[in-house]
Amino acid sequence: MVREKQIAFGGKGMKVAITELIEEVQELYLADQIPWVVGYSGGKDSSAVLQLVWLAVSRLPVEQRTKQIHVISTDTLVEQPLVAVWVDASHAKMREAATEQGVPLTPHKLVPDVKDTFWVNLIGRGYPKPTTQFRWCTSRMKINPSNNFIRQVVRENGEAMLVLGTRKAESQRRARNMEKHEKHRYRDRISPNAALPNSLVYSPIEDWNNDEVWQFLLQVKNPWGHTNKSLMGMYQGASADNECPVVLDTSTPSCGSSRFGCWVCTVVDKDRSMEAMIKNDDEKFWMQPLLDLRNELACDEEGLRDVELVQIGLTKKEISELGKTDRKGKPVRLSKENRGKVERNRRDFRRIDGRVQLFNGKTIPGPYRKNWREYWLKRVLEVQQGIRENGPKEMREIELVSTAEMHEIRRIWLYEKHEYDDTLPDIFKQVTGEEFPVVRGDDQLLDREDWDRLKDICSADDVFFQLQTELLDIEREFRGMTRRAGIYEAIEKRLKAARFSDGEEAFAARDAEQKRAEEIRDLRTIRKDKPENTKGSKKRSGAKVSNVSSAQQNLFDQQSLEENE
């Protein structure tokens, strides 16, 4: 055991290593008046870095504590609820402790703009669930709020020092990225911030492993009054085996691999942390509806309704086998192909701008259809209502989707999607039993009665019906203008978007255009090889082929352009 302790922290032992780091932090803090921005997520690494900075500054004479330290936490508004509560409680204790101890530290809770939140984009605009290929959420919800804050600090002070808990041991990818930036370092552990000019990145614990992080947290008292044992308990509950040993050799696993993030995350295959929390603690069973909704979004067999599985062609027997173990002891899961079919059935065959794009014999699906966006809103509100009624005391006021977000969703549905039936207030009342605070727009073209009458006239042709509402919206947009410049282009764009009623019709049209193009090429070849009888016939025949070719080829070129955009 003594030998293992000596190996830890680069062979120096914890006491010596921490003393050296505190001295380094103090030296950097006193070197200039550049403000520091410490990233704090509530996890173990950011807690260790903040604790290290706090200890270093608090040990300086009061008259030397003149440089401001900002602690920023980004709340995506879909954070794992337990972690969100933990971070909020940490911020409250930080404010109190910083005042009492005379530490110039201020915590800041950053949130994305309402137009960039998860539910506004998924339910409002119909963005599909995030994937590794289309990870639209990270920059909007995490990166932008932090970068905007740092830019503001740079504008006010000229420079900023970003202090992070990044470690090489987190992953091979992180290690490679950090090693790449080491070439441009100003000194040990300080690198330029490639994303933000006039800012540096300081990573004091970059060489620590998981166990060294836990050893520091558990053996050194938290200076702002939070208990690090509770933090470890949270990680322990999120580990599959419900164990979180602190060891200093590589043969014993650490709970440091547990990850906390957005509870709706569909980029990962499974939310192992939430699954483990529910499994390991009966008091966490209130989180099961969150996991069910996340699995339904991800097209995971554990969250799908039978009706969706029947729609993609699965038999009752195949559906009943899902989740069971096969002969090799592995769980029977929905195939990647079938998951794709489920997701495709939820989405429009056109892209969000109305274009039809073809790839490998299929249309590239666009946003979620209207009925699915309404369904997701209803499901989120149902889960929120259930947790408020059945969850622990600290979750009685939980907001999975805020009123501000619902106002923005309603605005998008009315004025960008042209869905004048205005269903959001009805869905809200159906789930909560309360009236939604409606703000009626002065330029709302249709009311519910008008919407229903127009839909009856269109005889259940959804594409034709949508075209009518979009044309009405063009009239709303251009009315009152002396010169209606651009109205014909707008009408042409909407008409093009309504060319096809479904993906099969788009393919049939494409195939027909290709066939006509081939026939035209054959006619050209025949005309080229055929002896010419008269000058007049040549002129007439050539003109005919040329005219047909030009018209058909233009259509085909347009289709090919859209296919390859």
Side-chain angles (χ1 to χ4, degrees):
M1 182 62 70
V2 173
R3 182 182 61 82
E4 290 176 350
K5 286 185 177 179
Q6 291 175 343
I7 293 174
F9 294 96
K12 299 177 181 179
M14 189 185 78
K15 186 175 181 180
V16 174
I18 298 304
T19 300
E20 290 180 355
L21 266 180
I22 285 177
E23 291 174 354
E24 177 180 292
V25 171
Q26 290 176 331
E27 178 191 348
L28 288 172
Y29 180 83
L30 296 173
D32 50 51
Q33 287 301 309
I34 299 173
W36 283 11
V37 180
V38 183
Y40 176 74
S41 67
K44 65 183 192 310
D45 296 335
S46 61
S47 295
V49 163
L50 179 56
Q51 185 165 307
L52 193 65
V53 170
W54 192 305
L55 291 172
V57 175
S58 64
R59 294 178 184 180
L60 290 172
V62 175
E63 62 273 13
Q64 292 183 341
R65 305 176 198 171
T66 57
K67 185 157 67 177
Q68 183 62 38
I69 300 172
H70 301 282
V71 177
I72 61 172
S73 303
T74 303
D75 183 356
T76 62
L77 303 180
V78 283
E79 295 293 320
Q80 215 278 6
L82 291 177
V83 177
V85 170
W86 172 271
V87 172
D88 287 344
S90 296
H91 278 203
K93 291 190 174 183
M94 285 178 202
R95 292 187 187 92
E96 184 178 349
T99 302
E100 292 177 353
Q101 300 175 29
V103 176
L105 181 146
T106 306
H108 305 268
K109 181 178 178 179
L110 311 179
V111 296
D113 290 339
V114 67
K115 64 181 177 61
D116 290 332
T117 66
F118 186 83
W119 296 123
V120 164
N121 283 285
L122 189 137
I123 296 176
R125 295 187 174 89
Y127 279 21
K129 63 182 176 66
T131 64
T132 52
Q133 288 78 31
F134 186 40
R135 196 169 181 169
W136 54 264
C137 50
T138 305
S139 59
R140 287 175 171 86
M141 294 156 50
K142 275 188 170 292
I143 297 174
N144 289 348
S146 299
N147 284 356
N148 290 340
F149 183 90
I150 296 168
R151 288 191 185 99
Q152 183 62 33
V153 173
V154 170
R155 279 194 292 269
E156 294 175 354
N157 300 274
E159 292 181 90
M161 176 77 80
L162 186 59
V163 187
L164 300 178
T166 50
R167 297 182 299 109
K168 295 175 182 177
E170 288 181 68
S171 66
Q172 292 183 352
R173 181 180 178 182
R174 177 60 58 84
R176 287 195 299 269
N177 188 53
M178 294 180 72
E179 288 168 1
K180 180 179 70 175
H181 290 296
E182 283 181 2
K183 301 174 183 177
H184 308 287
R185 284 189 164 178
Y186 297 99
R187 56 174 289 174
D188 287 348
R189 292 183 278 274
I190 298 181
S191 307
N193 189 339
L196 295 170
N198 296 331
S199 62
L200 302 174
V201 177
Y202 177 40
S203 47
I205 63 168
E206 63 178 26
D207 294 318
W208 289 14
N209 59 38
N210 286 337
D211 301 316
E212 289 166 344
V213 172
W214 283 120
Q215 186 179 354
F216 171 64
L217 290 174
L218 295 179
Q219 294 188 23
V220 179
K221 185 179 179 181
N222 184 297
W224 60 89
H226 237 22
T227 166
N228 290 334
K229 288 185 178 179
S230 297
L231 176 63
M232 187 178 190
M234 194 158 59
Y235 273 85
Q236 180 180 6
S239 300
D241 55 5
N242 199 25
E243 293 187 4
C244 195
V246 177
V247 292
L248 297 175
D249 65 309
T250 58
S251 62
T252 307
S254 167
C255 72
S257 59
S258 301
R259 307 289 293 183
F260 298 109
C262 302
W263 67 268
V264 293
C265 184
T266 53
V267 175
V268 295
D269 183 51
K270 291 274 191 180
D271 190 336
R272 303 296 183 187
S273 295
M274 194 182 299
E275 287 179 352
M277 282 184 170
I278 297 169
K279 177 184 176 182
N280 295 334
D281 189 349
D282 292 340
E283 293 184 0
K284 301 288 194 307
F285 189 72
W286 61 268
M287 297 170 61
Q288 185 64 48
L290 293 171
L291 183 61
D292 291 340
L293 177 52
R294 179 263 164 204
N295 287 339
E296 189 173 9
L297 269 173
C299 299
D300 189 292
E301 63 277 353
E302 294 183 13
L304 292 176
R305 298 170 296 161
D306 287 355
V307 64
E308 287 198 87
L309 299 172
V310 171
Q311 287 174 349
I312 64 171
L314 263 64
T315 65
K316 290 184 178 180
K317 182 179 179 181
E318 289 173 327
I319 294 173
S320 65
E321 292 296 321
L322 291 174
K324 297 180 180 179
T325 54
D326 59 18
R327 294 178 180 179
K328 296 181 180 179
K330 295 182 178 180
V332 178
R333 300 201 60 193
L334 197 63
S335 68
K336 183 178 180 180
E337 179 183 1
N338 282 330
R339 287 189 182 197
K341 289 180 180 179
V342 171
E343 177 71 2
R344 180 175 287 273
N345 285 344
R346 297 171 172 178
R347 293 162 63 181
D348 198 334
F349 70 95
R350 296 163 298 181
R351 305 311 297 271
I352 202 165
D353 59 1
R355 290 179 301 152
V356 177
Q357 289 185 293
L358 313 177
F359 182 73
N360 282 349
K362 296 179 181 178
T363 58
I364 300 176
Y368 288 124
R369 299 197 304 270
K370 180 178 186 292
N371 62 313
W372 274 101
R373 287 183 277 110
E374 292 170 342
Y375 175 77
W376 292 133
L377 176 62
K378 182 181 178 183
R379 287 284 287 119
V380 174
L381 288 172
E382 287 173 343
V383 173
Q384 175 178 283
Q385 196 72 8
I387 294 176
R388 287 180 175 182
E389 294 173 358
N390 305 312
K393 184 178 179 181
E394 62 270 21
M395 296 295 168
R396 295 296 165 85
E397 300 297 324
I398 189 172
E399 264 195 346
L400 299 183
V401 56
S402 68
T403 302
E405 288 177 288
M406 285 187 282
H407 277 298
E408 178 64 9
I409 290 169
R410 180 171 177 262
R411 186 198 65 78
I412 292 170
W413 286 3
L414 284 172
Y415 299 114
E416 293 184 20
K417 301 290 186 181
H418 322 296
E419 294 165 357
Y420 299 115
D421 54 342
D422 197 12
T423 56
L424 188 145
D426 294 339
I427 295 171
F428 183 83
K429 185 174 182 179
Q430 178 186 349
V431 177
T432 67
E434 302 173 4
E435 296 288 342
F436 185 75
V438 172
V439 179
R440 181 176 174 83
D442 295 333
D443 56 353
Q444 186 169 325
L445 287 171
L446 303 178
D447 57 22
R448 177 69 63 83
E449 185 178 348
D450 296 328
W451 172 276
D452 292 338
R453 186 179 295 114
L454 181 60
K455 196 164 190 177
D456 289 339
I457 293 172
C458 294
S459 302
D461 187 333
D462 290 338
V463 174
F464 185 61
F465 173 64
Q466 184 178 354
L467 174 62
Q468 308 315 306
T469 61
E470 290 177 344
L471 292 175
L472 284 170
D473 186 65
I474 291 176
E475 171 59 27
R476 177 192 64 80
E477 183 180 349
F478 284 89
R479 69 184 176 188
M481 293 184 178
T482 305
R483 289 185 67 254
R484 300 177 123 195
I487 189 170
Y488 292 119
E489 290 80 359
I491 292 173
E492 182 182 8
K493 181 179 178 181
R494 299 290 168 83
L495 290 174
K496 281 184 177 180
R499 282 181 297 174
F500 312 117
S501 60
D502 54 35
E504 291 181 2
E505 187 175 319
F507 270 104
R510 195 277 303 269
D511 292 341
E513 295 301 334
Q514 287 181 335
K515 184 178 180 180
R516 283 195 288 271
E518 291 173 1
E519 290 173 351
I520 291 165
R521 283 195 294 269
D522 291 342
L523 285 172
R524 283 176 172 171
T525 303
I526 293 171
R527 185 70 189 88
K528 183 178 180 181
D529 296 339
K530 187 176 179 180
E532 298 174 359
N533 294 325
T534 64
K535 187 175 181 181
S537 64
K538 174 184 176 182
K539 184 177 181 180
R540 287 192 300 272
S541 175
K544 183 178 180 181
V545 172
S546 177
N547 288 337
V548 172
S549 174
S550 176
Q552 298 294 346
Q553 193 63 40
N554 284 342
L555 285 172
F556 178 68
D557 289 345
Q558 178 64 27
Q559 187 71 32
S560 299
L561 177 63
E562 292 186 358
E563 180 177 351
N564 290 289
E565 279 184 348

